[in-house]
Amino acid sequence: MKRLRVPPLGAAQPAPAWTTFRVGLYCGVFVALTVTVIIAGVVKLVEHFGDNTDVWPLIRIYRGGFLLIEFLFLLGINTYGWRQAGVNHVLIFELNPRNNLSHQHLFEIAGFLGVLWCVSILSCLFAENTLIPIHMNPLALYGFFFLFLINPLKTCYYKSRFWLLKLLFRVVTAPFHRVGFADFWLADQLNSLVVVLMDLEYMICFYSLELNWTMSEGELWIKEGERICYSYSYGVRAVIKCLPAWFRFVQCLRRYRDTKRAFPHLVNAGKYSTTFFVVIFEALFKTHSGDERFVFLYIMIACRIVNSCYTLLWDLKMDWGLFDRNAGENTLLREEIVYPQKAYYYCAIVEDVILRFAWTIPLSLEVVYDRPVISNILGTVLPPLEVFRRFVWNFFRLENEHLNNCGEFRAVRDISVAPLNADDQTLLEQMMDQEDGVRNRLGKKNWKRSYSMSLRRPRLSSQSKVRDTKVLIEDTDDDT
């Protein structure tokens, strides 16, 4: 009978003891292996200093895996924080309360994948002492990641994995179906994980065009000739960089088609369209020289400023619901807040402002010093900070959605079901034959979007004790 009982939505489901044990084991081993990787990497760099050994291909290949692991771990913290604060993410994402992943499950997955990531890097660093070619280690690692995701066997969180695959399919095919909250939430996460997609594209290009397979045993050997995989010499890299913004762009257009509301959907689509201009002029800046290069530089800076200001204001006002005029004592916030300390909100505002304009640092150093090494270092440091920014964004985005959970894309909160007898069925049919009963089938679109009314309906015989109900009908938006 315990297996048949559905756990309550508001209560956290305790993880089994073995899950807790595995979380501690994987996380402890991951921390120890991370320290080992750092020490071994520094020693290898010192030994080969001055040998013109290019370590950046290996760093770019493994960088995307680290970002995925960081994202899963921070998502586990998000889940724990939502549970503790009472934000019903199970209802918002329309998850099954029986088998959704808790924060411990996410920590377990992140720790396990992190251990594999560290082992793969150590195998590369000590490839001279092993029988495994250095270029086979990343292929084995990401091949396992992919098989873990699409594994058809009903194990390793089967339902959650295929829920994610279904959601990814809906994101990619956004224009062809209605868009729910989970759809555009995942697309927003992909906008912060765009470096993962770009590193995956770089890995495929590197293994296809640049890697010398016959000579790469203890070291990656690159073919003679021009290196194009980490440049905008061909258009694939720019297209990959635009994909996450494109997914959100077409989602906004689809929602405008469904709701016929220019605000906020078309305005939100305009926000994501600014990313296209940033990528286009950045590619032109990287591929041109002379006076034309600086013209594209100035245009790119202007587009970046517009994009950063646009997205920052949308984050704070629309996604988080802050700067409410009726905030009262919660200055610059909103009237109702979920998290206990106001300092959380103010720190999140400052953090979002800083990281939204963090692109100014690498661009300034790249223009002033024109050294690729500095650009590569900052290109490795800033993506984890962007994942952290999205982690903070998730807390307040879900809180705002929880407080405004009456939008047209939400699940119904409470449904009262009572058995009907013959008299009730006859009375309901008479009510449906009235003009108000068929209003939804008349196709009228000129009603007001937000209104309230009191409905005094005939009392059914199966609802003898039901009081007259005041129904509040609101057609709100998910983003407001």
Side-chain angles (χ1 to χ4, degrees), residues 1 27 77-78 126 136 180 252 265 284 290 298 319 351 393 398 405 417 427 429 444:
M1 293 301 295
C27 292
I77 300 179
N78 281 140
F126 297 98
M136 296 303 298
C252 294
H265 302 311
L284 294 174
Y298 299 144
D319 289 341
E351 172 265 346
W393 181 91
L398 265 291
N405 197 21
V417 179
L427 182 57
E429 290 176 354
K444 296 181 180 179

Side-chain angles (χ1 to χ4, degrees), residues 184 187-188 191 244-246 248-250 252-253 262 264-278 303-320 352 356 389-390 393 397 479:
F184 62 76
D188 278 327
N191 277 272
W246 168 257
R248 285 295 288 122
F249 178 77
V250 295
C252 294
L253 295 183
H265 302 311
L266 289 185
V267 181
N268 199 13
K271 179 188 72 173
Y272 291 102
S273 67
T274 58
T275 303
F276 305 149
F277 297 99
V278 171
C303 292
R304 279 191 174 274
I305 292 174
V306 172
N307 174 265
S308 298
C309 294
Y310 205 156
T311 53
L312 176 64
L313 293 176
W314 196 274
D315 284 345
L316 300 180
K317 180 62 179 177
M318 304 299 293
D319 289 341
W320 293 359
D352 199 50
R356 277 298 186 186
R389 188 197 67 80
R390 185 62 63 177
W393 181 91
R397 182 64 184 90
D479 295 329

Side-chain angles (χ1 to χ4, degrees), residues 6 26 63 74 93 106 118 161 180-181 199 228 308 346 358 385 413 418 435:
V6 180
Y26 294 149
R63 180 173 56 190
L74 294 179
F93 289 118
L106 292 170
C118 290
R161 287 188 290 107
F181 179 85
D199 286 344
I228 63 171
S308 298
Y346 298 124
L385 295 179
R413 180 173 297 178
E435 181 180 358

Side-chain angles (χ1 to χ4, degrees), residues 12 53 67 82 146 184 241 292 296 300 309 322 373 378 440:
T53 302
L67 294 178
W82 293 329
F146 182 71
F184 62 76
K241 197 169 185 178
E292 292 182 351
F296 292 133
M300 182 190 68
C309 294
L322 305 182
V373 176
L378 292 175
N440 289 332

Side-chain angles (χ1 to χ4, degrees), residues 87-144:
V87 176
N88 197 344
H89 69 282
V90 176
L91 177 65
I92 293 174
F93 289 118
E94 301 181 25
L95 302 174
N96 189 337
R98 293 183 179 90
N99 52 27
N100 64 89
L101 296 183
S102 67
H103 61 281
Q104 289 189 333
H105 295 127
L106 292 170
F107 291 154
E108 178 189 4
I109 297 173
F112 176 66
L113 298 181
V115 169
L116 295 179
W117 182 79
C118 290
V119 170
S120 180
I121 294 182
L122 289 175
S123 181
C124 286
L125 295 175
F126 297 98
E128 298 176 351
N129 303 323
T130 63
L131 300 177
I132 304 175
I134 187 173
H135 57 274
M136 296 303 298
N137 291 286
L139 292 178
L141 176 67
Y142 292 119
F144 180 83

